[in-house]
Amino acid sequence: MADEVSMPSLFQFAIDRGGTFTDVWARCPNNEIRVLKLLSEDPANYDDAPREGIRRILEEYTGKPCPAADPIDTSLIDWIRMGTTVATNALLERKGERMALVITKGFRDLLHIGNQSRPHIFDLKIVMPDKLYEEVVEVEERLVLQQDVCQLDRSYHKVTGTTGEELEIWEEVNVGKLKADLQELLTKGIKSLAVVFMHSYTCDLHERQVGQLAREMGFTHVSLSSDVMPMVRMVPRGFTACADAYLTPCIMRYVAGFSSGFTGGCKNTKVLFMQSEGGLTPVQKFNGSRAILSGPAGGVVGYALTSYSANTGRAVIGFDMGGTSTDVSRYAGQFEHVFETTTAGVTIQAPQLDINTVAAGGGSMLFFRSGMFVVGPESAGAHPGPVCYKKGGPLTITDANLCLGRILPEFFPSIFGEKEDQPLDKQATLQAFTKLTKEVNDFLTSQPGDAKKKPMTAEEVAMGFIRVANEAMCRPIRALTEAKGHDTSRHLLACFGGAGGQHACAIARSLGMSRVFIHKYASILSAYGMALADVVHEAQEPCAKTYETASFAYIDGRIKALSDECREELKSQGFKSHQIETQPFLHLRYQKTDCALMCSAEAYPATPQTSSYGDFRAAFLNRYNTEFGFTLKDRAVVIDDIRVRGIGRSHAASDVAVKEAAGDAKSRRMTSCFFEDGFHDTSVYHMDDITAGHVIKGPAIITDVNSTVLIEPTCTASITGQGDIEIVIGEGLHKSVGTELDAIQLSIFSHRFMSIAEQMGRVLQRTSISTNIKERLDFSCAMFGPDGGLVANAPHIPVHLGAMQETVQYQMRQLGDNFRKGDVILSNHPSAGGSHLPDLTVITPVFYEGEARPVFFVASRGHHADIGGITPGSMPANSTSIEEEGAVFMSFKVVEEGVFMEKALIEKFMDPGKIPGSSGSRNLADNLSDLRAQIAANQRGIKLISELIDEYGLEVVQAYMAHIQNNAEVAVGDMLREIARDTKVRTGTTKLHACDYMDDGSKIALTVDIDEQEGTAVFDFSGTGCEVHGNCNAPRAVTLSGLIYCLRCMVGHNVPLNQGCLKPVHAIIPKGSILDPSEHAAVVGGNVLTSQRIVDVVLRAFSVCAASQGCMNNITFGDSNVGYYETVAGGAGAGPTWDGHSGIHSHMTNTRITDPEIVERRYPIVVRCFHLNRGTGGRGRHTGGDGVVREFLFRKDLTLSVLTERRVFRPYGLCGGDDGRTGLNLLFYADGRVVSLGGKNSANVGPGDVFHLETPGGGGYGTPGTDSASDGSRTEGTTTTQGPPSQKAVLKGSVHEYRMAQESS
């Protein structure tokens, strides 16, 4: 098993079975290396691609026949190492094992609800991946964590969990009922189970009992969540157990089928599979939950171990560009892991390499929309593929490279066309680009001032798409590095995959990198990575200790026990002691935070004051400081998990040196290749003709049968002693950019502006301290022009859309010329463009050398957990004036000419305490820290804007700011014309009217008048009710945000969301109404409740879908020591082609809900149930989504507050569909009384009291029982070529998880 590098006497195979191709790397007995690439699916010629690859190489090398029908002789084979997409494909296509979920009673729908957020905030038709399980069995059992503060007068048997936490057994397993339920599953043919119980991460008593019973009854596979991944949080642990039960039987079937093609079923051959975390494992231990990234992990191992040098310490960015997407990762001497990721809608709790998938690949489709060059995210995939594949596909990035002469058809195999025997069709690509170029030129000549511009050529259009695609791929690379405090430019770019070599030089130059590394096996690097990888066994267990001296003996004991487990397992696989290493990790976080980091103490030696395995605290503090820019003084550090990674060093592969060059490299021919300044004569080299020491100056193309590498002008490639390509990046060709509109530069600047806003957000998240901003990511960052008009905003939180612009422009009106360099303004008042008081906006003017006035503005808006007021959390249910809701800032200079005005700021935060019954900020330290973080984020924006101005000049940057805004105006105008046409078809008119009511009877009325010819619209809210005495008044900025959100939802593709998007829209909002209240009106409910009704009214006017639940269901409870706030999901409205989704957040909120185990661990309550409330969605041709039922049992005296809507007026149905059911708030007192709390109320609760929440359902669409009529759906924009439906990349990785978390804040 643990071979040292030597001349092998047997064959060694490393194989990556991908979705399209299977790559094989083989070391033969004389040390000769052979590589092979074949189709993963070719049923006419073979049953299994990896086996076929092995068979072909054995037959070719030995010269002896190896019939395909005969088992392969394993006596010739030393080992086989594989990565496979079998698990990933089964997950994506939902073709896994039939299985059932066994879960604690009351939580049958917990995994359906998940974290309650929707994946795409602007999709009215909410599409969620199918559940993995067919059936659910609820088990009568319950373990509850013991709490010292509990005042319940009950006595239960206690047990101690593996974390040291005490638990009470409130209910034993009802074995009789369980047995009957399991028997019913067997009768239905289901033999695979996933079992997840509350708090089984620390006490698996009940899960083991169920597992034993199930196996005795005949279930063939049982995945206990406590075995698969014993980490706290029931939802991801449950998903992980389901993935294991769903995928592992598929893997075992595949392995059995593969093994059957070898003599003895491979029993005497070492077969290892790559796991998601980058280590190999024996075939019999390979399981579904650790197989998701089996193939891509090989590529990371491959580039990490071939391109990183410990001597230089230069970190490496892995860039794997394929057909549908691009994978990006980072290596700096250690593999970077994440421990919770979501793939195909399933959250997996397991160590995985942090591989970030970007929706840009060779097959990414090209669009020209409203004057903007757009690449992806739709992909042509392998079928139909690009235009040049001759299968009726659309224009793609591959076509653009072909058009530019960067891909040479004669070096590609003839595998295209319907019969897969034709070469690439360059002529078809050129014809398609000619057609698209006419569209581009027609648009440009129609724009004012552009009629006399020289028309673009097809090559210039193709080059434009390449540049836009490159910028799109640079953004996540910057995010991956900058987010963790690393300088992107100080990395080496390691490029592999089929398409990456054509883009590597341009990507590296854009990122400021000086070198690119392309391994000689770049086209099969995932397979080669399997050969380089080590065998890994991991052991992990949960912990709840504080990292302190008193815990060191326990920590050391558990690390030793887990290390011994790893060593014994690896010894059983044939490794000697000297070949085994163990690496201990602690999963650490600051107390009262959720941001845990997995820390190794390898670089931090032990001292008498630390664990004997190293100074984990120092490791944690250093990493925390690197990633977040600060540490928390005197805050305890808590251990969530103890993990040991056991490594069996296999030393299985080594590079073989290639011969030295005897002269200059010989080119095969010259070709003409298009670059930014036009065509260049370009030398073409073949990999077979170049060897060690050759130097190739750009422009040049290096090609072989599997890949093409483009050496751009001013770049130089050299061939290393091992035959790899190293490219030194030159300065590139500088093309001057003027102030006139250039459609390509428009797209580039759009990405650059958005990147500035995104990087501001990363700094804010890194440097903030509160849970709301650092972990829930409840913030937005934006840049504005000198007129205060929005340029770019990230992320797109619905209630923040366009709202900050009002704030910046208010400050400009108030302060006039009173802006000085070093000033920073703080504001949160609704009259000054605020949404509600907890959202504090920090604005900084951007000055540039030689300019007296600000040239731009930057701003950041963050939700602060408490800013004072009459209730903790500053979200009172019964406030009647804004002063009761917390500290008020109209126009406050928090920094004046560089001086932080801390004293005055503290006074403002404490002002609410002067009001009887009210308090100043209850968390002043966090307020101050988060404001400093917002100021730091703005400073980052200023630096990036200044660098952009240095690069292009102020006049050009401001010109493109205006072009971007004008483009948004054009895009929204096109969108309004599209909406007008669609609305006229459905309603017969473009003058629309709708109204709806708040529960207090306040009317929200809307009349819409769209001018189809001009692409403009008037939204007139005249007739809306007056300001209310309570807090459901919505600031004007919130009304505008709701309007922008609805417009964006009604078109099926991205449009720039900046100042320009409101220019074609005229909003009439009556002053003094509930939608534009007076200066002292209470507004907290307007932001979270009325905003939803605004959306309901707009969507009703356009008749696009029925009403969703129309409420955020704001629930808070607490006392002087503890406070908790959540919003709760409900039903989504149905539409003309879809049923409403159940148990999901909709429209103006997308907040994730806290996992039930975390709630019970931190707060004095028991979550009694959380499930769908079936039948609450309105009936119709398409049914509305159901609301949920959620119950809390209180364990001590607390104050409960509810701030809810749709308790009186039902969510409307449309076109004959029934209304959804209203929500309900009940309080079951311990003495037996049942009291309705109404929609908005506060109540004192005691131990044994139960709060029962029912959230509203969504409205139905269409008359129940009728057939679906014309779907009324709109296309998502015009593609450049008509063809079959597009595909989309499956996004993953920490950058994607961050974006998803932002959009669910």
Side-chain angles (χ1 to χ4, degrees):
M1 175 65 68
D3 321 81
E4 301 291 347
V5 176
S6 59
M7 183 80 74
S9 58
L10 300 171
F11 288 86
Q12 299 169 342
F13 293 96
I15 305 169
D16 174 33
R17 185 190 186 281
T20 304
F21 291 104
T22 290
D23 300 330
V24 184
W25 177 95
R27 187 198 297 277
C28 303
N30 68 348
N31 225 19
E32 178 187 343
I33 304 298
R34 296 206 176 187
V35 297
L36 178 68
K37 186 181 285 280
L38 66 164
L39 289 169
S40 294
E41 299 288 345
D42 192 357
N45 294 301
Y46 46 81
D47 294 329
D48 183 76
R51 180 186 175 279
E52 175 67 11
I54 292 171
R55 187 195 70 79
R56 290 183 187 181
I57 289 175
L58 289 174
E59 189 171 76
E60 290 170 6
Y61 182 83
T62 62
K64 298 177 182 178
C66 186
D70 294 350
I72 294 174
D73 183 4
T74 55
S75 67
L76 301 172
I77 300 172
D78 182 9
W79 48 251
I80 301 169
R81 300 172 170 208
M82 281 180 63
T84 176
T85 58
V86 168
T88 310
N89 291 343
L91 193 60
L92 294 176
E93 298 166 11
R94 293 302 195 258
K95 292 182 179 178
E97 184 79 352
R98 294 183 65 199
M99 51 87 58
L101 171 66
V102 180
I103 195 166
T104 303
K105 185 179 179 182
F107 296 90
R108 64 174 293 115
D109 301 307
L110 184 67
L111 299 190
H112 171 95
I113 299 168
N115 64 19
Q116 77 180 8
S117 67
R118 61 196 188 278
H120 304 290
I121 58 174
F122 296 118
D123 287 356
L124 296 174
K125 178 182 178 181
I126 299 170
V127 178
M128 303 289 282
D130 293 336
K131 301 187 295 291
L132 301 184
Y133 51 87
E134 281 186 38
E135 302 284 340
V136 180
V137 171
E138 290 188 282
V139 179
E140 295 176 4
E141 68 80 36
R142 194 61 156 93
L143 297 175
V144 174
L145 291 171
Q146 190 269 333
Q147 291 185 352
D148 292 338
V149 298
C150 181
Q151 299 170 350
L152 291 170
D153 187 19
R154 304 179 186 179
S155 179
Y156 299 101
H157 178 66
K158 292 183 175 60
V159 291
T160 302
T162 56
T163 59
E165 293 168 293
E166 295 287 326
L167 297 99
E168 300 170 349
I169 302 178
W170 282 26
E171 189 172 9
E172 296 281 5
V173 175
N174 184 336
V175 177
K177 184 177 185 306
L178 172 63
K179 198 167 185 177
D181 290 339
L182 293 180
Q183 186 58 53
E184 190 173 336
L185 294 179
L186 289 171
T187 303
K188 293 178 180 179
I190 296 174
K191 293 189 174 182
S192 183
L193 297 180
V195 184
V196 56
F197 291 160
M198 280 284 284
H199 303 300
S200 61
Y201 70 92
T202 183
C203 181
D204 61 5
L205 185 67
H206 288 173
E207 281 196 1
R208 295 219 169 280
Q209 189 177 349
V210 172
Q212 181 179 342
L213 175 63
R215 293 185 185 99
E216 289 172 355
M217 292 179 67
F219 285 90
T220 55
H221 186 90
V222 181
S223 295
L224 305 181
S225 75
S226 52
D227 278 346
V228 176
M229 182 47 67
M231 294 180 76
V232 67
R233 290 200 298 141
M234 188 181 185
V235 172
R237 194 174 70 252
F239 275 129
T240 307
C242 285
D244 193 74
Y246 188 73
L247 299 175
T248 300
C250 297
I251 290 172
M252 292 301 102
R253 276 196 300 275
Y254 172 75
V255 168
F258 171 77
S259 300
S260 67
F262 296 81
T263 57
C266 279
K267 286 182 180 176
N268 298 316
T269 303
K270 290 162 283 192
V271 181
L272 300 169
F273 275 81
M274 176 61 78
Q275 301 179 101
S276 298
E277 39 73 28
L280 297 162
T281 193
V283 60
Q284 63 272 20
K285 294 186 177 294
F286 191 48
N287 64 58
S289 62
R290 295 187 179 231
I292 306 299
L293 299 183
S294 177
V300 175
V301 174
Y303 87 74
L305 300 186
T306 56
S307 60
Y308 176 79
S309 169
N311 294 329
T312 64
R314 176 183 280 193
V316 185
I317 292 292
F319 179 73
D320 177 9
M321 186 175 178
T324 303
S325 61
T326 296
D327 285 343
V328 174
S329 55
R330 181 178 184 274
Y331 183 81
Q334 283 191 336
F335 292 114
E336 297 190 355
H337 290 104
V338 289
F339 296 86
E340 185 176 307
T341 56
T342 301
T343 302
V346 179
T347 303
I348 306 291
Q349 259 189 342
Q352 299 182 28
L353 290 171
D354 188 10
I355 301 173
N356 293 270
T357 299
V358 186
S364 291
M365 293 164 59
L366 311 182
F367 305 88
F368 184 73
R369 293 189 183 126
S370 305
M372 186 83 79
F373 280 61
V374 179
V375 178
E378 299 84 0
S379 172
H383 301 284
V387 168
C388 60
Y389 279 21
K390 304 177 76 168
K391 292 182 181 179
L395 274 178
T396 69
I397 288 296
T398 296
D399 288 304
N401 279 311
L402 182 62
C403 175
L404 298 173
R406 301 173 175 206
I407 291 177
L408 306 174
E410 64 265 36
F411 292 102
F412 269 69
S414 295
I415 57 172
F416 305 102
E418 291 301 326
K419 296 183 178 180
E420 299 185 347
D421 59 355
Q422 299 292 307
L424 288 172
D425 191 344
K426 185 171 183 177
Q427 193 58 38
T429 290
L430 291 174
Q431 288 174 357
F433 264 112
T434 300
K435 181 181 177 184
L436 177 59
T437 301
K438 184 178 184 304
E439 291 179 33
V440 173
N441 287 326
D442 287 348
F443 175 87
L444 294 178
T445 55
S446 71
Q447 299 305 297
D450 285 350
K452 296 181 181 180
K453 282 189 67 175
K454 181 183 175 183
M456 296 181 72
T457 66
E459 288 80 11
E460 287 172 334
V461 169
M463 188 70 216
F465 280 112
I466 294 293
R467 292 176 62 197
V468 172
N470 289 343
E471 187 60 37
M473 289 184 281
C474 285
R475 275 172 64 184
I477 295 174
R478 291 190 189 101
L480 182 66
T481 51
E482 303 286 345
K484 296 179 180 179
H486 307 298
D487 184 345
T488 309
S489 66
R490 294 179 178 271
H491 290 69
L492 172 74
L493 188 69
C495 179
F496 57 107
Q502 297 143 45
H503 298 258
C505 289
I507 294 287
R509 184 182 293 115
S510 293
L511 294 169
M513 297 178 179
S514 60
R515 289 181 180 271
V516 172
F517 179 87
I518 303 176
H519 195 271
K520 63 184 175 186
Y521 298 138
S523 64
I524 62 151
L525 197 62
S526 288
Y528 186 55
M530 313 289 173
L532 297 177
D534 294 313
V535 177
V536 170
H537 178 81
E538 292 210 355
Q540 181 171 322
E541 66 182 30
C543 183
K545 300 283 186 183
T546 300
Y547 188 82
E548 58 188 0
T549 304
S551 302
F552 290 160
Y554 175 85
I555 295 166
D556 291 349
R558 296 316 304 155
I559 290 177
K560 182 180 184 305
L562 296 175
S563 299
D564 290 346
E565 177 189 327
C566 291
R567 286 194 184 91
E568 290 305 311
E569 175 57 39
L570 291 169
K571 284 179 180 178
S572 73
Q573 297 178 33
F575 287 92
K576 304 292 190 293
S577 294
H578 72 277
Q579 296 170 318
I580 298 173
E581 296 177 17
T582 57
Q583 299 174 347
F585 297 83
L586 296 184
H587 204 197
L588 301 172
R589 61 179 171 84
Y590 279 121
Q591 195 172 47
K592 296 183 179 179
T593 73
D594 287 329
C595 189
L597 300 174
M598 190 67 77
C599 297
S600 163
E602 186 176 356
Y604 303 87
T607 71
Q609 289 76 42
T610 71
S611 159
S612 62
Y613 288 91
D615 190 348
F616 288 97
R617 182 182 178 87
F620 171 74
L621 295 178
N622 182 68
R623 185 171 165 198
Y624 199 95
N625 189 60
T626 299
E627 293 201 17
F628 304 125
F630 68 96
T631 56
L632 301 179
K633 190 177 180 182
D634 301 326
R635 181 78 69 95
V637 175
V638 176
I639 308 167
D640 275 346
D641 303 278
I642 301 172
R643 168 180 168 237
V644 173
R645 182 176 171 88
I647 301 170
R649 299 292 183 192
S650 58
H651 307 291
S654 63
D655 273 340
V656 177
V658 298
K659 66 180 182 180
E660 288 287 330
D664 293 339
K666 299 285 194 298
S667 68
R668 291 274 177 108
R669 68 178 181 88
M670 296 293 288
T671 189
S672 186
C673 198
F674 192 89
F675 295 93
E676 288 188 35
D677 62 341
F679 283 101
H680 283 245
D681 289 337
T682 303
S683 302
V684 179
Y685 299 85
H686 196 279
M687 281 296 292
D688 293 343
D689 303 332
I690 57 178
T691 188
H694 276 144
V695 175
I696 298 171
K697 292 187 176 181
I701 291 173
I702 303 173
T703 187
D704 67 9
V705 71
N706 293 321
S707 63
T708 299
V709 178
L710 179 70
I711 314 300
E712 295 201 357
T714 76
C715 298
T716 303
S718 57
I719 310 304
T720 70
Q722 282 71 42
D724 308 319
I725 301 172
E726 285 191 358
I727 305 173
V728 176
I729 304 300
E731 290 187 2
L733 303 168
H734 293 285
K735 182 180 178 183
S736 63
V737 177
T739 57
E740 70 279 0
L741 174 64
D742 179 290
I744 298 166
Q745 282 298 147
L746 183 71
S747 299
I748 299 292
F749 269 101
S750 177
H751 280 289
R752 293 292 292 271
F753 290 148
M754 279 299 295
S755 183
I756 289 171
E758 288 168 352
Q759 289 188 63
M760 287 173 63
R762 285 292 193 169
V763 170
L764 177 51
Q765 188 256 347
R766 281 181 55 219
T767 57
S768 62
I769 194 171
S770 69
T771 298
N772 268 356
I773 295 178
K774 178 174 284 299
E775 289 151 20
R776 289 186 59 238
L777 308 180
D778 192 352
F779 64 81
S780 284
C781 295
M783 63 178 291
F784 307 82
D787 62 349
L790 179 66
V791 178
N793 189 165
H796 291 144
I797 294 175
V799 81
H800 290 178
L801 291 177
M804 272 196 283
Q805 173 177 302
E806 299 262 319
T807 308
V808 174
Q809 292 178 335
Y810 176 88
Q811 300 306 321
M812 295 180 70
R813 291 192 298 270
Q814 285 294 108
L815 297 173
D817 292 332
N818 190 24
F819 286 109
R820 301 285 180 268
K821 189 173 183 179
D823 285 355
V824 182
I825 297 93
L826 171 62
S827 181
N828 69 344
H829 198 288
S831 297
S835 49
H836 63 166
L837 294 188
D839 281 346
L840 296 182
T841 304
V842 172
I843 304 161
T844 309
V846 181
F847 288 89
Y848 193 71
E849 188 176 349
E851 300 293 324
R853 298 173 62 86
V855 295
F856 284 96
F857 289 87
V858 288
S860 54
R861 174 172 286 180
H863 184 104
H864 288 237
D866 192 290
I867 56 165
I870 59 176
T871 62
S874 305
M875 296 278 288
N878 51 0
S879 54
T880 57
S881 71
I882 198 165
E883 289 76 16
E884 294 177 327
E885 296 177 351
V888 177
F889 300 90
M890 189 71 81
S891 182
F892 179 80
K893 284 194 176 181
V894 65
V895 178
E896 192 160 1
E897 295 188 48
V899 179
F900 186 62
M901 311 300 287
E902 185 167 358
K903 182 179 178 182
L905 179 62
I906 292 173
E907 288 176 0
K908 290 285 287 182
F909 270 121
M910 302 315 293
D911 274 353
K914 299 173 183 176
I915 300 171
S918 185
S919 168
S921 173
R922 300 167 183 85
N923 206 347
L924 182 62
D926 281 10
N927 296 136
L928 298 178
S929 295
D930 283 349
L931 284 175
R932 288 190 178 99
Q934 289 177 254
I935 294 167
N938 288 3
Q939 285 301 121
R940 176 64 174 167
I942 291 171
K943 181 176 184 293
L944 293 171
I945 291 171
S946 298
E947 289 173 358
L948 196 63
I949 295 172
D950 290 342
E951 182 178 348
Y952 289 100
L954 175 61
E955 193 178 5
V956 170
V957 175
Q958 289 190 333
Y960 271 92
M961 171 211 72
H963 293 326
I964 291 287
Q965 293 171 333
N966 292 338
N967 175 258
E969 181 179 356
V970 171
V972 172
D974 289 346
M975 179 180 73
L976 287 170
R977 292 185 189 96
E978 183 182 343
I979 291 171
R981 288 191 295 269
D982 177 66
T983 304
K984 188 183 285 186
V985 168
R986 286 185 289 105
T987 67
T989 181
T990 57
K991 189 160 187 175
L992 312 169
H993 180 77
C995 70
D996 205 340
Y997 297 87
M998 302 294 289
D999 280 352
D1000 66 357
S1002 295
K1003 181 181 181 181
I1004 297 179
L1006 173 65
T1007 300
V1008 183
D1009 193 353
I1010 307 177
D1011 187 323
E1012 183 180 353
Q1013 299 303 314
E1014 294 295 321
T1016 60
V1018 176
F1019 287 77
D1020 187 353
F1021 289 92
S1022 297
T1024 293
C1026 62
E1027 173 185 318
V1028 297
H1029 181 63
N1031 58 27
C1032 281
N1033 301 292
R1036 176 183 168 84
V1038 169
T1039 305
L1040 293 175
S1041 295
L1043 196 53
I1044 295 172
Y1045 167 81
C1046 291
L1047 291 172
R1048 172 61 183 84
C1049 286
M1050 285 188 283
V1051 69
H1053 57 78
N1054 286 327
V1055 294
L1057 296 173
N1058 58 43
Q1059 172 180 258
C1061 69
L1062 276 179
K1063 284 186 178 178
V1065 174
H1066 178 50
I1068 300 172
I1069 305 171
K1071 289 287 282 184
S1073 71
I1074 192 174
L1075 303 185
D1076 191 2
S1078 64
E1079 182 177 323
H1080 296 284
V1083 297
V1084 69
N1087 186 60
V1088 296
L1089 298 177
T1090 312
S1091 61
Q1092 298 281 46
R1093 195 67 71 260
I1094 294 166
V1095 171
D1096 288 342
V1097 170
V1098 175
L1099 296 181
R1100 188 175 205 171
F1102 286 91
S1103 298
V1104 292
C1105 67
S1108 294
Q1109 69 160 332
C1111 178
M1112 297 185 192
N1113 301 296
N1114 303 271
I1115 310 301
T1116 58
F1117 62 77
D1119 59 14
S1120 58
N1121 298 313
V1122 68
Y1124 177 73
Y1125 168 67
E1126 69 178 18
T1127 61
V1128 186
T1137 63
W1138 70 86
D1139 291 342
H1141 195 79
S1142 301
I1144 197 89
H1145 259 324
S1146 52
H1147 300 321
M1148 299 298 279
T1149 187
N1150 202 28
T1151 314
R1152 298 184 180 190
I1153 200 161
T1154 307
D1155 191 272
E1157 287 182 343
I1158 297 295
V1159 172
E1160 292 193 5
R1161 209 180 193 194
R1162 296 185 181 172
Y1163 303 101
I1165 67 164
V1166 172
V1167 183
R1168 296 220 311 185
C1169 67
F1170 188 30
H1171 58 78
L1172 299 181
N1173 196 5
R1174 285 172 171 74
T1176 52
R1179 294 186 315 121
R1181 185 171 73 240
H1182 292 286
T1183 305
D1186 291 328
V1188 304
V1189 175
R1190 187 165 172 86
E1191 285 186 355
F1192 290 157
L1193 169 69
F1194 298 103
R1195 304 177 73 174
K1196 61 169 293 191
D1197 293 325
L1198 297 165
T1199 298
L1200 168 72
S1201 293
V1202 295
L1203 186 57
T1204 62
E1205 271 285 323
R1206 291 294 194 196
R1207 269 51 183 175
V1208 177
F1209 291 96
R1210 302 173 69 166
Y1212 60 79
L1214 267 187
C1215 301
D1218 292 345
D1219 296 343
R1221 193 187 300 173
T1222 55
L1224 183 65
N1225 305 325
L1226 297 178
L1227 193 55
F1228 296 91
Y1229 284 103
D1231 62 10
R1233 287 181 300 142
V1234 180
V1235 175
S1236 173
L1237 290 172
K1240 301 165 188 66
N1241 220 327
S1242 293
N1244 293 323
V1245 294
D1249 295 341
V1250 174
F1251 171 59
H1252 174 93
L1253 170 69
E1254 296 181 18
T1255 66
Y1261 190 100
T1263 305
T1266 60
D1267 293 330
S1268 180
S1270 172
D1271 64 17
S1273 61
R1274 295 175 297 281
T1275 58
E1276 294 191 359
T1278 304
T1279 60
T1280 54
T1281 305
Q1282 294 302 313
S1286 64
Q1287 304 170 24
K1288 286 195 178 181
V1290 180
L1291 306 183
K1292 59 182 179 291
S1294 61
V1295 174
H1296 173 64
E1297 295 292 328
Y1298 173 84
R1299 185 182 66 79
M1300 294 299 291
Q1302 279 189 311
E1303 291 188 357
S1304 60
S1305 61

